[in-house]
Amino acid sequence: MTKVFAKNLSSKQVMATDGTELGVLFNIVMDGKTGDLIDLIVKPDMSLDTSKYKTDDQYILLPFTSVRAIKDYIVVDKNTALGKSVE
């Protein structure tokens, strides 16, 4: 993945690989010791059923490992975002 500055991610739309709009990026969780990115904190789209996602208050948490592309949208693998293993 190419380098992307955090300021360019602010308020970027987050979409699943199946085309589902998940919401808007609110923040990112980072491990302070290692610098590893842990989760995307996303303000969910009003029509999204958040019951299958890990949540924190009014936000959904998507593991950074689910990110597949960052361009006009942040694209995440839906199975990984839901915590399902892909076989």
Side-chain angles (χ1 to χ4, degrees), residues 15-65:
M15 178 183 290
T17 49
D18 68 356
T20 305
E21 291 207 19
L22 302 177
V24 176
L25 182 66
F26 178 74
N27 211 339
I28 299 173
V29 178
M30 180 182 87
D31 183 315
K33 292 180 182 176
T34 65
D36 291 340
L37 300 178
I38 308 298
D39 288 316
L40 302 179
I41 301 175
V42 176
K43 181 162 180 55
D45 190 78
M46 297 287 276
S47 62
L48 182 69
D49 175 11
T50 60
S51 65
K52 297 179 181 178
Y53 293 90
K54 184 173 147 186
T55 59
D56 181 17
D57 203 16
Q58 75 264 26
Y59 300 102
I60 58 174
L61 302 176
L62 305 174
F64 190 76
T65 56

Side-chain angles (χ1 to χ4, degrees), residues 1-29:
M1 196 176 297
T2 61
K3 292 182 181 180
V4 178
F5 292 103
K7 68 180 181 179
N8 294 335
L9 297 177
S10 177
S11 300
K12 193 170 278 276
Q13 284 290 129
V14 180
M15 178 183 290
T17 49
D18 68 356
T20 305
E21 291 207 19
L22 302 177
V24 176
L25 182 66
F26 178 74
N27 211 339
I28 299 173
V29 178

